[in-house]
Amino acid sequence: MKGDFELLERDGLARICRFETAHGKVETPAIMPVINPNRKVISASEMRARFGVDMVITNSYIISRNRELREKALKEGVHGLLDFDGTVMTDSGTFQTHVYSDVSVDPSEILEFQRAIGSDVATVFDVFSEPDFTLGQAENAAAVTAARVKEAMSSKRGGSLIAATVQGGLYPEVRERTARRLGEEAPDYFTIGGVVPLMEEYRFADLASVIIASKKGLPPGRPVHLFGAGHPLMLPLAVLLGCDLFDSASYVKYAYDGRMMFPEGSIALSDLKYSWCDCPVCSKHAPAEMASMDENESVLSISEHNLYILTSELKRIKQAIHEGSLWNLVEARARSSPQLFDAYAEVLSHSNYLSRFEPMSRRSGINFVDGLSLKRPDFARFFASASGIRPGKADRLLVVRGERQYFSHYDFTSSDIGEDTASLTGVGIFPIQITETYPLAQSNYSAAMECAEKPDSYSARFGYGAWRIADGRWRRMGAGANKPDRLSQALIVCEYQFGRKYAEALLSGDVQCTYSRNTGKLRSIMRDGRQLLFFRTEDGLFSVKFHGGEVLHGVLAKGTMSVECSDDAIPFVSVGKSLFSRFVTDADEALRPGDECLVVDRAGNLLAVGRAVLRKEEMLSFGKGVAVDVREGRSSSASSRQSEDTK
Ligand code: GUN
Ligand code: ZN
């Protein structure tokens, strides 16, 4: 349905979604090329055919001010004017007020015009908030914009979806408050405005702060567009912070300046001697050849190259979301520019907010190159929980460089007491039982990393022995290190995953561990002859089976770990079908994407167990898509009791 926005994959706040308009579906993150109707360098239909562009943006103000364009647009629609059958968004003329001070626009007239020419997404005329605005000016720009959005929504009729712009200058409180206020008007689409000057001046840390503040206030189930941020340099970071759509006039603007875009920055064509780009333009023409073309041809060639770079960078970002490696990409990109590095530092300073969206595990490990990676919110989350576990006799493990697959070489017999610990490198000291759990076993470690705490000082402090891993072998570092057994591994992982109290409740009574005959690895926890938990080898965490859900449901405070659904969903989730967000009526605030959860009815009865795909506020905001990947429903569990140990 028009206006639908559905989450397909995610990596923290970053997400791959499907946005639907009257002219088809757009997979986000996406970048829409800006089409200037007066100066079409590449036609929109060609963009679709050659670059896979499903959505473009054009300016209704420019169209309305030119008689010929206006009449054609009114007669043939904006799609006819641009010769494009995909999604067309129109901007309102606000940017022209930022560039030329003598522009005057009537807010309701320009919105009406956008509707009249059949725009798929029409932008309410907003007030551009400049970075140097005082608090009063920024508040005013945001408030006037919000009032216009309210007006637009009260007169909303079929046709165009409505885009509302968050303004508020460099004041995070104003951005967040305005975003929340706009959200209450329930427009279809949100844009973050007033950021072009930040892009132009490479003030990326300020830009990151503006995005985060705006995201905090916006409803999470709607598309978010960062206005005018069409340079590849910023894309990975902006997507990491939850921006879905971008527009770029820069692919052409740079071309007029003779500049070739690359993911790490741009290079003047005149300075480019060896182009490593393999796009169709660059593989046909060497840089010198492009430089000697006549102006029109060279602008066209550079524009095409720039569009290829932008669209391929987005593909790379999407692949990273799919792999769960976007933080790795952003960290690598941050090192290509000091301003981007500052922006990354700004992002890390919002770890508390970001970690609400961080999963316990990803499909990709962390690249620990230096101390910076230790500040990543997923590691910070792991570190806070795992280093807090101090059971009576647990051995601690120092994670050092080691081989990637070290966890497959358990060798508890070797012990090298008295090893030189001064030169050890690593990420920290954790319970030995948790080494198969994300991110320890799944990550890569540089030998140059300083370990925060040495095992001998650790032993002195806590009286625990420590093990280290090197060359694929376990080495005992001090006195008192005992070989952990499977049940103690299960208990510690459960404690890390669910908390001490619930770990004990789960693993009490008649409990047994099963493990793989081939690898010796933990596989399942059985209780009373039924499968309670399943150990996932890929991330070293437990999947809760229905019986485990029953035990947890019996001891958890009401609502904890739970997602509550309306009666309509009961027949579906009870037999193990996914729970869709439109049926969710409430959820535990503490659940994060990827967490194990219980699905309950409105009376609190247990219906199913599964993994949360969304956070509570996302479940309540997304109108479409899956909220919980249900693993086992109460009816499906009864029939599968014979065939346990399979999932
Ligand atoms: N294009 C670039 N920045 C902006 C902005 O703040 N508002 C609108 N409407 N368009 C823009
Ligand atoms: Zn190229």
Side-chain angles (χ1 to χ4, degrees):
M1 215 174 69
K2 192 175 82 181
D4 279 351
F5 190 60
E6 179 181 359
L7 186 140
L8 306 174
E9 292 198 59
R10 76 180 306 162
D11 186 4
L13 262 178
R15 54 207 191 166
I16 297 176
C17 294
R18 194 186 291 125
F19 175 50
E20 194 168 344
T21 72
H23 284 84
K25 294 174 178 164
V26 180
E27 194 171 283
T28 67
I31 185 153
M32 46 194 116
V34 175
I35 311 277
N36 182 338
N38 281 321
R39 203 162 66 167
K40 286 187 228 168
V41 173
I42 307 171
S43 78
S45 51
E46 204 179 330
M47 283 185 185
R48 186 157 218 194
R50 293 186 41 211
F51 302 91
V53 166
D54 292 322
M55 184 170 179
V56 298
I57 183 167
T58 191
N59 196 298
S60 64
Y61 172 79
I62 294 175
I63 299 172
S64 75
R65 292 294 144 128
N66 176 304
R67 197 166 66 96
E68 202 182 318
L69 294 173
R70 182 176 66 236
E71 282 172 8
K72 187 162 193 227
L74 285 169
K75 201 157 126 229
E76 299 172 20
V78 68
H79 295 80
L81 177 72
L82 301 183
D83 181 28
F84 186 65
D85 61 0
T87 294
V88 177
M89 176 175 183
T90 46
D91 199 353
S92 57
T94 301
F95 193 63
Q96 282 63 30
T97 64
H98 157 73
V99 182
Y100 319 100
S101 47
D102 61 342
V103 171
S104 83
V105 179
D106 179 284
S108 40
E109 239 172 68
I110 197 71
L111 184 63
E112 206 40 56
F113 180 70
Q114 295 178 65
R115 284 177 172 142
I117 62 176
S119 170
D120 291 301
V121 183
T123 307
V124 175
F125 181 62
D126 49 312
V127 180
F128 197 96
S129 55
E130 304 287 347
D132 62 358
F133 267 13
T134 62
L135 178 61
Q137 288 174 308
E139 273 177 336
N140 184 57
V144 172
T145 303
R148 289 180 190 161
V149 169
K150 191 179 169 83
E151 164 72 25
M153 291 311 291
S154 66
S155 68
K156 189 175 175 191
R157 294 173 257 118
S160 311
L161 299 168
I162 297 292
T165 306
V166 182
Q167 295 287 355
L170 290 188
Y171 302 93
E173 332 70 64
V174 182
R175 290 272 177 184
E176 186 177 347
R177 196 171 353 108
T178 309
R180 197 157 281 126
R181 185 159 156 204
L182 293 179
E184 285 161 12
E185 301 298 334
D188 308 282
Y189 186 106
F190 294 90
T191 44
I192 299 176
V195 298
V196 170
L198 302 177
M199 286 291 300
E200 288 170 348
E201 293 164 27
Y202 287 72
R203 293 168 66 179
F204 297 146
D206 287 335
L207 182 56
S209 148
V210 164
I211 297 172
I212 292 170
S214 308
K215 277 294 286 188
K216 279 183 182 168
L218 288 174
R222 299 308 312 164
V224 175
H225 172 170
L226 187 65
F227 250 143
H231 196 287
L233 207 56
M234 246 322 272
L235 288 177
L237 190 73
V239 172
L240 183 84
L241 298 177
C243 294
D244 306 297
L245 291 131
F246 303 88
D247 61 282
S248 175
S250 48
Y251 73 102
V252 173
K253 284 192 186 151
Y254 275 60
Y256 278 108
D257 287 346
R259 296 196 74 83
M260 309 267 287
M261 287 177 162
F262 290 96
E264 296 87 3
S266 65
I267 303 178
L269 179 58
S270 53
D271 287 342
L272 190 66
K273 190 165 176 197
Y274 306 98
S275 177
W276 65 95
C277 176
D278 279 334
C279 85
V281 182
C282 297
S283 30
K284 222 161 52 212
H285 308 287
E289 211 183 314
M290 271 206 267
S292 67
M293 289 171 175
D294 71 44
E295 158 129 23
N296 282 349
E297 209 186 338
S298 133
V299 166
L300 176 66
S301 299
I302 303 177
S303 296
E304 287 183 350
H305 158 87
N306 289 347
L307 266 186
Y308 275 110
I309 292 291
L310 287 166
T311 50
S312 78
E313 181 68 355
L314 272 176
K315 283 184 208 156
R316 181 174 191 155
I317 290 169
K318 281 181 171 175
Q319 173 63 19
I321 294 174
H322 172 69
E323 289 172 0
S325 65
L326 189 56
W327 279 94
N328 291 348
L329 178 64
V330 169
E331 229 178 82
R333 285 278 191 275
R335 290 186 158 86
S336 65
S337 134
Q339 289 76 18
L340 211 50
F341 196 86
D342 290 345
Y344 187 63
E346 172 70 21
V347 168
L348 291 178
S349 77
H350 296 271
S351 199
N352 267 354
Y353 167 67
L354 294 171
S355 71
R356 301 168 54 168
F357 302 88
E358 289 292 306
M360 267 189 151
S361 72
R362 296 183 137 88
R363 283 160 78 171
S364 291
I366 298 174
N367 287 336
F368 288 102
V369 178
D370 56 30
L372 196 66
S373 321
L374 300 178
K375 295 187 183 153
R376 276 176 52 156
D378 55 352
F379 183 74
R381 180 185 178 181
F382 170 81
F383 190 82
S385 310
S387 61
I389 298 171
R390 299 201 194 289
K393 276 204 81 88
D395 295 315
R396 311 297 286 192
L397 170 88
L398 171 72
V399 176
V400 292
R401 193 176 167 205
E403 285 146 31
R404 226 181 108 63
Q405 297 297 321
Y406 64 73
F407 53 93
S408 61
H409 305 276
Y410 269 42
D411 175 7
F412 287 117
T413 56
S414 72
S415 62
D416 283 348
I417 301 171
E419 180 132 1
D420 172 24
T421 60
S423 62
L424 285 177
T425 59
V427 297
I429 298 174
F430 307 98
I432 195 167
Q433 292 88 342
I434 213 165
T435 47
E436 287 175 38
T437 298
Y438 186 91
L440 292 186
Q442 292 76 5
S443 297
N444 269 316
Y445 308 94
S446 136
M449 279 186 67
E450 265 294 306
C451 185
E453 187 159 28
K454 304 293 182 200
D456 40 7
S457 66
Y458 186 88
S459 302
R461 218 146 58 87
F462 295 105
Y464 297 137
W467 296 78
R468 71 174 284 224
I469 294 170
D471 313 323
R473 323 187 88 196
W474 294 80
R475 305 233 171 129
R476 200 164 73 178
M477 301 292 311
N482 297 314
K483 170 180 161 181
D485 62 48
R486 302 289 166 204
L487 199 56
S488 99
Q489 181 186 11
L491 191 68
I492 297 287
V493 173
C494 267
E495 179 177 344
Y496 165 64
Q497 203 174 348
F498 308 111
R500 177 69 172 244
K501 185 168 138 204
Y502 304 124
E504 281 172 356
L506 275 166
L507 299 184
S508 65
D510 174 23
V511 172
Q512 280 170 338
C513 304
T514 69
Y515 32 96
S516 157
R517 254 178 245 134
N518 290 335
T519 62
K521 280 195 196 177
L522 190 59
R523 205 151 156 206
S524 288
I525 308 294
M526 311 292 293
R527 183 165 145 171
D528 314 318
R530 286 174 69 190
Q531 198 180 11
L532 190 78
L533 302 166
F534 181 78
F535 189 68
R536 299 194 295 254
T537 47
E538 67 273 18
D539 65 1
L541 292 164
F542 284 113
S543 289
V544 177
K545 302 294 287 186
F546 192 78
H547 187 42
E550 288 175 317
V551 173
L552 284 169
H553 188 245
V555 291
L556 289 170
K558 188 164 182 289
T560 309
M561 262 178 83
S562 301
V563 178
E564 184 196 274
C565 67
S566 64
D567 294 351
D568 299 344
I570 296 176
F572 300 99
V573 296
S574 301
V575 297
K577 298 224 163 82
S578 296
L579 174 62
F580 291 100
S581 49
R582 70 176 182 279
F583 296 116
V584 173
T585 52
D586 197 7
D588 183 354
E589 176 74 42
L591 280 176
R592 298 177 207 214
D595 279 359
E596 293 294 304
C597 67
L598 313 178
V599 180
V600 298
D601 65 15
R602 303 195 75 162
N605 301 305
L606 181 67
L607 302 171
V609 292
R611 268 181 105 169
V613 175
L614 307 173
R615 278 185 61 77
K616 170 183 173 168
E617 63 268 27
E618 296 171 328
M619 293 182 186
L620 298 176
S621 174
F622 272 100
K624 204 167 176 199
V626 175
V628 178
D629 259 332
V630 168
R631 177 175 303 113
E632 216 178 357
R634 69 177 170 202
S635 317
S636 51
S637 85
S639 56
S640 72
R641 238 165 254 171
Q642 283 83 7
S643 59
E644 266 162 7
D645 216 11
T646 53
K647 196 167 172 183

